[in-house]
C-alpha cells in the first residue's frame, strides 16, 4: 500500500508541475514537450534503481542516474509547494493570472530560486556538524572515555570512497576511545562498495568500532552486508551484548527482521555482562518504542534512521511519527540521542536539517568536577 502511494504521489506531482510549465513557457509546443519530458525522465531514472538496473551500468553512469533520479524527488516537491502557493495567490486574487501564463520573467525567477535553494542545500549537506554530549555514569569509571557516534552513512553510489575517506579522517581527528555506528552504513547496493573496496577505509579507524544493522543493510542484502562488516573490521552487535572496559554495549537487530529478539530477552540473556558494567549503551537503528529502554534500565540509547526528514517540510512529518525524531531526549533515567545522520539517502541536500556526528565524553561519578 505504502509503495503504491510512494509511486502515485510523484506521478501526480509530475502532472501538476507539467501543466504549470506548459502554461508558463512562452515558446513553441515542442519546446514545452522537451522540457516536460526531461523532468519526467529525471524522475523515472530513480525507477531504474528500484529495479536494480544501476548495478548493470558502468559505475559512473549508475552514479549519475542515482543522483539525477533521487535529487528530482526533492526538486519536484519544492516545485509543487511553490506552484501551490502561486495557485492560492491567484485564488485569493493576490497574484495576477499573467504571472503564470506565457511569462519568461516568472520562469527564470522560479529557475533561479530553485537553483539557489538546492545549491544551499548541497553546501549545507557537505558541512558536517559536530555535536558534543556529556554522559555521566552512576558508578565510577576507570577513566573518562571519548566516544564518537554516527549513523546513516549510506555509502554507495552517491557517497563514494573519497567521501568516506574524508569522514574517517574527521573521526580519527577526534582521537576517540570507541566508535559506535547505529546502522545504515550501506545505502542500497553492495556493488559500489565492492568495486571501490570501501571496507579498507574503515580499517583506518583508530579505535574499536561496534555497530548494529539498519533497514538498508537488509535492502542491500543482509548476508553481503554482514560480510562487509567483517571485512571492515566492524564488530556487529545483532541482538547481543559486549563489554568494553566499564561499558556494556547492546546492539539490536533492525526491526525489519520481524524475528528479532525483544530488548527484555536480550537484557536477560546478558545479565552477567550488564551487572558487572558501570554504563549500559543501546544501539537500535530505528527509534520506535523508546519506553523499552527506560523499562530495561538502559543508561543511553543511540539511534538514527529518521534523517530528521532530510529537508523541510518532511522534518515536520518525522516529528509527528516519532516520540523523538532528532536530538537529545530523556525518559526517566534513560537518555537518548536520535541522530539525523552523517550521510544521507538520495539527493545530497540538507534544508532545515543537518548532517552530523556526535562526540560524547563519558564520565563516572568519581571523575565529576
Amino acid at each position: 500500500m505504502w509503495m503504491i502511494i510512494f509511486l502515485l504521489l510523484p506521478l501526480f506531482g509530475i502532472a501538476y508541475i507539467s501543466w504549470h510549465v506548459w502554461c508558463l513557457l512562452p515558446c513553441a509546443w515542442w519546446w514545452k514537450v522537451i522540457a516536460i519530458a526531461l523532468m519526467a525522465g529525471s524522475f523515472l531514472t530513480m525507477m531504474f534503481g528500484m529495479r536494480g538496473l544501476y548495478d548493470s551500468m558502468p559505475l559512473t553512469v549508475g552514479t549519475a542516474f542515482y543522483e539525477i533520479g533521487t535529487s528530482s524527488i526533492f526538486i519536484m516537491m519544492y516545485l509543487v509547494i511553490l506552484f501551490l502557493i502561486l495557485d492560492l495567490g491567484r485564488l485569493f486574487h493576490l497574484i495576477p493570472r499573467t504571472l503564470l501564463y506565457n511569462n519568461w520573467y516568472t520562469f527564470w525567477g522560479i529557475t533561479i530560486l530553485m537553483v539557489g535553494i538546492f545549491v544551499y542545500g548541497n553546501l549545507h549537506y557537505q558541512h558536517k556538524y559536530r555535536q558534543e554530549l556529556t554522559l555521566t555514569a552512576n558508578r565510577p569509571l576507570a577513566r573518562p572515555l571519548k566516544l564518537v557516534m554516527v549513523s546513516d552513512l549510506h555509502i554507495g553510489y552517491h557517497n563514494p570512497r573519497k567521501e568516506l575517506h574524508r569522514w574517517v579522517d574527521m573521526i580519527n581527528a577526534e582521537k576517540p576511545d570507541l566508535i559506535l555506528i547505529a546502522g545504515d552504513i550501506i545505502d542500497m547496493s553492495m556493488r559500489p562498495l565492492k568495486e571501490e573496496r570501501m571496507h579498507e577505509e574503515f580499517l583506518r579507524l583508530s579505535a574499536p568500532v561496534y555497530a548494529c544493522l539498519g533497514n538498508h543493510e537488509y535492502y542491500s542484502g543482509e548476508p553481503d552486508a554482514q560480510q562487509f562488516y567483517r571485512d571492515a573490521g566492524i564488530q556487529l552487535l545483532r541482538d547481543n551484548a559486549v563489554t568494553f572496559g566499564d561499558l556494556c554495549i547492546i546492539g539490536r537487530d533492525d526491526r525489519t527482521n520481524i524475528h528479532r529478539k525483544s530488548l527484555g530477552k536480550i537484557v536477560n540473556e546478558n545479565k552477567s555482562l550488564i551487572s558487572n558494567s558501570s554504563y549500559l549503551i543501546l544501539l537500535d537503528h530505528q527509534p520506535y518504542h523508546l519506553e523499552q529502554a527506560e523499562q530495561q534500565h538502559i543508561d543511553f540509547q543511540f539511534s538514527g534512521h529518521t534523517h530528521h526528514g532530510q529537508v523541510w517540510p518532511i522534518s515536520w512529518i518525522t516529528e509527528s511519527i516519532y516520540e523523538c525524531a532528532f536530538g537529545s531526549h530523556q525518559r526517566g533515567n534513560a537518555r537518548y540521542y536520535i541522530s539525523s545522520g552523517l550521510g544521507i539517502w538520495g539527493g545530497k541536500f540538507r534544508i532545515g536539517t543537518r548532517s552530523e556526528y556526535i562526540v560524547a565524553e563519558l564520565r563516572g561519578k568519581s571523575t565529576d568536577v
Side-chain angles (χ1 to χ4, degrees), residues 33-275:
V33 170
I34 291 172
I36 291 169
L38 287 172
M39 288 192 305
S42 295
F43 171 72
L44 290 176
T45 58
M46 193 191 71
M47 300 295 106
F48 296 164
M50 296 179 69
R51 297 183 63 87
L53 296 180
Y54 294 157
D55 288 347
S56 63
M57 302 174 181
L59 189 58
T60 52
V61 176
T63 299
F65 273 52
Y66 182 104
E67 297 279 10
I68 292 169
T70 56
S71 296
S72 70
I73 300 173
F74 299 106
I75 296 169
M76 181 175 62
M77 180 183 72
Y78 272 68
L79 283 173
V80 167
I81 291 171
L82 179 59
F83 282 128
L84 280 172
I85 292 171
L86 292 173
D87 282 342
L88 286 171
R90 277 193 57 208
L91 181 64
F92 291 100
H93 306 290
L94 300 174
I95 292 175
R97 182 181 184 276
T98 54
L99 196 70
L100 297 177
Y101 286 84
N102 298 319
N103 193 318
W104 278 119
Y105 292 107
T106 303
F107 173 80
W108 285 113
I110 290 173
T111 300
I112 292 169
L113 177 62
M114 288 295 107
V115 170
I117 288 173
F118 286 98
V119 167
Y120 159 78
N122 179 260
L123 293 174
H124 189 47
Y125 166 73
Q126 300 298 337
H127 171 70
K128 305 304 177 185
Y129 185 86
R130 183 183 187 272
Q131 174 65 52
E132 294 186 358
L133 286 182
T134 300
L135 305 175
T136 305
N138 291 322
R139 290 188 282 176
L141 299 178
R143 63 182 178 90
L145 293 174
K146 189 175 189 180
L147 285 63
V148 172
M149 298 181 283
V150 296
S151 75
D152 300 276
L153 282 69
H154 288 273
I155 56 174
Y157 284 107
H158 66 320
N159 284 316
R161 179 166 178 170
K162 65 179 181 180
E163 186 71 4
L164 178 59
H165 183 91
R166 182 169 76 94
W167 297 348
V168 169
D169 287 346
M170 182 178 64
I171 293 170
N172 282 339
E174 296 290 342
K175 297 181 171 54
D177 298 299
L178 181 66
I179 299 164
L180 302 177
I181 306 178
D184 276 7
I185 292 176
I186 303 164
D187 187 50
M188 297 292 291
S189 170
M190 290 298 303
R191 184 269 188 107
L193 279 68
K194 291 177 179 178
E195 287 196 17
E196 292 200 293
R197 298 182 61 82
M198 291 195 201
H199 69 276
E200 294 175 351
E201 293 298 329
F202 287 97
L203 296 173
R204 295 197 304 113
L205 287 168
S206 59
V209 185
Y210 296 92
C212 65
L213 292 176
N215 53 308
H216 277 255
E217 272 75 43
Y218 281 92
Y219 301 159
S220 62
E222 177 260 333
D224 283 346
Q226 284 201 70
Q227 184 60 52
F228 180 82
Y229 275 50
R230 287 191 289 269
D231 294 341
I234 299 170
Q235 182 163 339
L236 174 61
L237 300 178
R238 192 175 184 187
D239 287 347
N240 63 321
V242 67
T243 56
F244 179 84
D246 295 312
L247 307 185
C248 182
I249 306 161
I250 294 175
R252 295 198 72 183
D253 198 348
D254 187 67
R255 73 196 302 263
T256 304
N257 179 7
I258 60 173
H259 300 296
R260 72 171 180 169
K261 296 177 184 178
S262 69
L263 181 57
K265 185 174 182 180
I266 300 170
V267 169
N268 285 333
E269 290 176 350
N270 294 275
K271 277 184 177 179
S272 60
L273 294 180
I274 293 169
S275 62

